[in-house]
Amino acid sequence: MRVVVTGATGNVGTSTVRALAADPGIDSVLGLSRRPAELKIDKTGWAEADVARHDLAAHFRGADVVVHLAWLFQPTHRPRVTWDNNVIGSARVFRAVAEAGVPALVYASSVGAYSPVPSLAEKERPRDESWPTHGWPEAAYGREKAYVERLLDSFQADHPDVRVVRLRPGFVFKREAASEQRRLFAGPLLPGRLVRPGMVPVVPDIPGLAFQALHTEDMAQAYRLAVTRDVRGPFNIAAEPVIDAAVLAEVLRARRVPVPALGARAAVAAAWRLNLVPASPHLVDMVLRLPIMDVTRAREELGWSPEHTGVDALRALLEGLREGAGMDTPPLARETGGPMRLREMLTGVGRRP
């Protein structure tokens, strides 16, 4: 079996490539990325390819499965850039899969593709894969994930012979991705070394603040299973427990302080407009309305179960933030932000990919 992975040098991509290469049933893996990669992984080759611009069919020919992970979270101030990469790029990936005659496609969807819950009172009830995927329209991330779901619906209708799998994970963390995730969501002003139990005095208890997380290594195993097993359709992927203000307070040994959602949003909006944080207020709106996912289908049909809890994944992220952890790829390297994080400041927080 030959597998091609787009977006192979990021948080999920690096772990997925390793998981695929370790499977004895997979003969070779080709990792594609926008920027050069020098990782040494058995049975793995690398090539530069931008999904929004380059010829992808040439890389896909002869593959048994394409795993499409390539995605830009930033720049939130320039949504046309993310649209070109995420939506137009995904459409180009799907067309290239058909052109190259690849028999199977595994796509990285997200909990962010799901429609919001009707009310906060109903948020705790888990939703299975039949919950609508119309996203949160004001957040570029949710809007784009939902649109690509529609593109994939059309692709499946036009190419019923292609086996299509959609994995919809919660928040995916590992220690080595901490530097990247700080850049993408918190920005250069976060003092990572101070994000430790006992040093953060309070956790905001915001109505609707509840989400699911999992460790990237468990996410990688879900992709490996989707590649190697004869399964189709969507699968929710997440670990227990649900992360809420109480869990965050316990992990950080902090007090919970009630904060109204409008107040939290206003604070993030002000910081975003001032280019102090890259995460937009629309992302806050989306997170507070995300459904809690039922992962029964992943367990029973995909044969997936996590080895780490959601709290394990969260603690791995916090450990990485304290250590400034990273990996030797452009997205994950701690040096990407520049010395003293100056490159992040000078190029505009939330204004560059």
Side-chain angles (χ1 to χ4, degrees), residues 246-259:
V247 173
L248 289 170
E250 181 179 354
V251 170
L252 291 169
R253 299 207 299 269
R255 291 186 301 111
R256 283 187 287 165
V257 175
V259 174

PDB file of all heavy atoms in Angstrom, residues 246-259:
ATOM      1  N   ALA A 246     -14.310  23.599  35.104  1.00  0.00           N
ATOM      2  CA  ALA A 246     -13.941  22.843  36.301  1.00  0.00           C
ATOM      3  C   ALA A 246     -12.685  22.014  36.062  1.00  0.00           C
ATOM      4  O   ALA A 246     -11.793  21.943  36.921  1.00  0.00           O
ATOM      5  CB  ALA A 246     -15.104  21.947  36.728  1.00  0.00           C
ATOM      6  N   VAL A 247     -12.597  21.372  34.894  1.00  0.00           N
ATOM      7  CA  VAL A 247     -11.415  20.576  34.563  1.00  0.00           C
ATOM      8  C   VAL A 247     -10.194  21.482  34.413  1.00  0.00           C
ATOM      9  O   VAL A 247      -9.103  21.181  34.914  1.00  0.00           O
ATOM     10  CB  VAL A 247     -11.654  19.749  33.284  1.00  0.00           C
ATOM     11  CG1 VAL A 247     -10.371  19.045  32.846  1.00  0.00           C
ATOM     12  CG2 VAL A 247     -12.765  18.727  33.504  1.00  0.00           C
ATOM     13  N   LEU A 248     -10.352  22.599  33.714  1.00  0.00           N
ATOM     14  CA  LEU A 248      -9.238  23.530  33.542  1.00  0.00           C
ATOM     15  C   LEU A 248      -8.738  24.039  34.891  1.00  0.00           C
ATOM     16  O   LEU A 248      -7.521  24.127  35.127  1.00  0.00           O
ATOM     17  CB  LEU A 248      -9.671  24.708  32.675  1.00  0.00           C
ATOM     18  CG  LEU A 248      -9.905  24.418  31.184  1.00  0.00           C
ATOM     19  CD1 LEU A 248     -10.571  25.610  30.513  1.00  0.00           C
ATOM     20  CD2 LEU A 248      -8.600  24.071  30.492  1.00  0.00           C
ATOM     21  N   ALA A 249      -9.672  24.355  35.779  1.00  0.00           N
ATOM     22  CA  ALA A 249      -9.279  24.852  37.096  1.00  0.00           C
ATOM     23  C   ALA A 249      -8.528  23.791  37.884  1.00  0.00           C
ATOM     24  O   ALA A 249      -7.551  24.088  38.582  1.00  0.00           O
ATOM     25  CB  ALA A 249     -10.519  25.312  37.863  1.00  0.00           C
ATOM     26  N   GLU A 250      -8.957  22.537  37.764  1.00  0.00           N
ATOM     27  CA  GLU A 250      -8.271  21.451  38.479  1.00  0.00           C
ATOM     28  C   GLU A 250      -6.856  21.249  37.931  1.00  0.00           C
ATOM     29  O   GLU A 250      -5.897  21.086  38.692  1.00  0.00           O
ATOM     30  CB  GLU A 250      -9.074  20.157  38.363  1.00  0.00           C
ATOM     31  CG  GLU A 250      -8.458  18.983  39.094  1.00  0.00           C
ATOM     32  CD  GLU A 250      -9.285  17.722  38.968  1.00  0.00           C
ATOM     33  OE1 GLU A 250     -10.391  17.778  38.408  1.00  0.00           O
ATOM     34  OE2 GLU A 250      -8.813  16.663  39.435  1.00  0.00           O
ATOM     35  N   VAL A 251      -6.713  21.259  36.606  1.00  0.00           N
ATOM     36  CA  VAL A 251      -5.404  21.053  35.983  1.00  0.00           C
ATOM     37  C   VAL A 251      -4.445  22.180  36.357  1.00  0.00           C
ATOM     38  O   VAL A 251      -3.253  21.945  36.630  1.00  0.00           O
ATOM     39  CB  VAL A 251      -5.549  20.940  34.451  1.00  0.00           C
ATOM     40  CG1 VAL A 251      -4.194  20.985  33.769  1.00  0.00           C
ATOM     41  CG2 VAL A 251      -6.279  19.657  34.079  1.00  0.00           C
ATOM     42  N   LEU A 252      -4.942  23.411  36.395  1.00  0.00           N
ATOM     43  CA  LEU A 252      -4.089  24.570  36.655  1.00  0.00           C
ATOM     44  C   LEU A 252      -4.037  24.955  38.133  1.00  0.00           C
ATOM     45  O   LEU A 252      -3.333  25.894  38.500  1.00  0.00           O
ATOM     46  CB  LEU A 252      -4.589  25.767  35.841  1.00  0.00           C
ATOM     47  CG  LEU A 252      -4.410  25.655  34.327  1.00  0.00           C
ATOM     48  CD1 LEU A 252      -5.168  26.761  33.612  1.00  0.00           C
ATOM     49  CD2 LEU A 252      -2.932  25.688  33.943  1.00  0.00           C
ATOM     50  N   ARG A 253      -4.791  24.232  38.964  1.00  0.00           N
ATOM     51  CA  ARG A 253      -4.905  24.550  40.392  1.00  0.00           C
ATOM     52  C   ARG A 253      -5.279  26.027  40.572  1.00  0.00           C
ATOM     53  O   ARG A 253      -4.632  26.794  41.289  1.00  0.00           O
ATOM     54  CB  ARG A 253      -3.611  24.226  41.138  1.00  0.00           C
ATOM     55  CG  ARG A 253      -3.232  22.757  41.083  1.00  0.00           C
ATOM     56  CD  ARG A 253      -2.399  22.341  42.281  1.00  0.00           C
ATOM     57  NE  ARG A 253      -1.148  23.049  42.385  1.00  0.00           N
ATOM     58  CZ  ARG A 253      -0.004  22.654  41.850  1.00  0.00           C
ATOM     59  NH1 ARG A 253       0.035  21.517  41.160  1.00  0.00           N
ATOM     60  NH2 ARG A 253       1.103  23.348  42.005  1.00  0.00           N
ATOM     61  N   ALA A 254      -6.348  26.389  39.875  1.00  0.00           N
ATOM     62  CA  ALA A 254      -6.803  27.778  39.868  1.00  0.00           C
ATOM     63  C   ALA A 254      -8.256  27.854  40.341  1.00  0.00           C
ATOM     64  O   ALA A 254      -8.957  26.849  40.432  1.00  0.00           O
ATOM     65  CB  ALA A 254      -6.681  28.351  38.457  1.00  0.00           C
ATOM     66  N   ARG A 255      -8.696  29.066  40.664  1.00  0.00           N
ATOM     67  CA  ARG A 255     -10.084  29.302  41.038  1.00  0.00           C
ATOM     68  C   ARG A 255     -10.908  29.595  39.790  1.00  0.00           C
ATOM     69  O   ARG A 255     -10.427  30.201  38.835  1.00  0.00           O
ATOM     70  CB  ARG A 255     -10.197  30.492  41.985  1.00  0.00           C
ATOM     71  CG  ARG A 255      -9.615  30.276  43.361  1.00  0.00           C
ATOM     72  CD  ARG A 255      -9.909  31.474  44.253  1.00  0.00           C
ATOM     73  NE  ARG A 255      -9.369  32.733  43.713  1.00  0.00           N
ATOM     74  CZ  ARG A 255     -10.119  33.716  43.242  1.00  0.00           C
ATOM     75  NH1 ARG A 255     -11.442  33.609  43.197  1.00  0.00           N
ATOM     76  NH2 ARG A 255      -9.546  34.834  42.801  1.00  0.00           N
ATOM     77  N   ARG A 256     -12.165  29.170  39.824  1.00  0.00           N
ATOM     78  CA  ARG A 256     -13.090  29.518  38.750  1.00  0.00           C
ATOM     79  C   ARG A 256     -13.760  30.849  39.075  1.00  0.00           C
ATOM     80  O   ARG A 256     -14.223  31.061  40.186  1.00  0.00           O
ATOM     81  CB  ARG A 256     -14.164  28.444  38.584  1.00  0.00           C
ATOM     82  CG  ARG A 256     -13.684  27.204  37.865  1.00  0.00           C
ATOM     83  CD  ARG A 256     -14.832  26.280  37.593  1.00  0.00           C
ATOM     84  NE  ARG A 256     -15.306  25.599  38.802  1.00  0.00           N
ATOM     85  CZ  ARG A 256     -16.458  24.957  38.901  1.00  0.00           C
ATOM     86  NH1 ARG A 256     -17.297  24.931  37.883  1.00  0.00           N
ATOM     87  NH2 ARG A 256     -16.780  24.355  40.023  1.00  0.00           N
ATOM     88  N   VAL A 257     -13.790  31.713  38.081  1.00  0.00           N
ATOM     89  CA  VAL A 257     -14.444  33.014  38.243  1.00  0.00           C
ATOM     90  C   VAL A 257     -15.492  33.161  37.138  1.00  0.00           C
ATOM     91  O   VAL A 257     -15.147  33.103  35.951  1.00  0.00           O
ATOM     92  CB  VAL A 257     -13.422  34.162  38.147  1.00  0.00           C
ATOM     93  CG1 VAL A 257     -14.140  35.511  38.190  1.00  0.00           C
ATOM     94  CG2 VAL A 257     -12.403  34.068  39.264  1.00  0.00           C
ATOM     95  N   PRO A 258     -16.753  33.318  37.503  1.00  0.00           N
ATOM     96  CA  PRO A 258     -17.791  33.481  36.475  1.00  0.00           C
ATOM     97  C   PRO A 258     -17.523  34.701  35.594  1.00  0.00           C
ATOM     98  O   PRO A 258     -17.250  35.796  36.098  1.00  0.00           O
ATOM     99  CB  PRO A 258     -19.077  33.647  37.287  1.00  0.00           C
ATOM    100  CG  PRO A 258     -18.769  33.064  38.621  1.00  0.00           C
ATOM    101  CD  PRO A 258     -17.306  33.330  38.859  1.00  0.00           C
ATOM    102  N   VAL A 259     -17.573  34.488  34.284  1.00  0.00           N
ATOM    103  CA  VAL A 259     -17.387  35.568  33.320  1.00  0.00           C
ATOM    104  C   VAL A 259     -18.479  35.443  32.268  1.00  0.00           C
ATOM    105  O   VAL A 259     -18.637  34.372  31.665  1.00  0.00           O
ATOM    106  CB  VAL A 259     -16.000  35.490  32.640  1.00  0.00           C
ATOM    107  CG1 VAL A 259     -15.878  36.543  31.540  1.00  0.00           C
ATOM    108  CG2 VAL A 259     -14.885  35.643  33.658  1.00  0.00           C
TER     109      VAL A 259
END
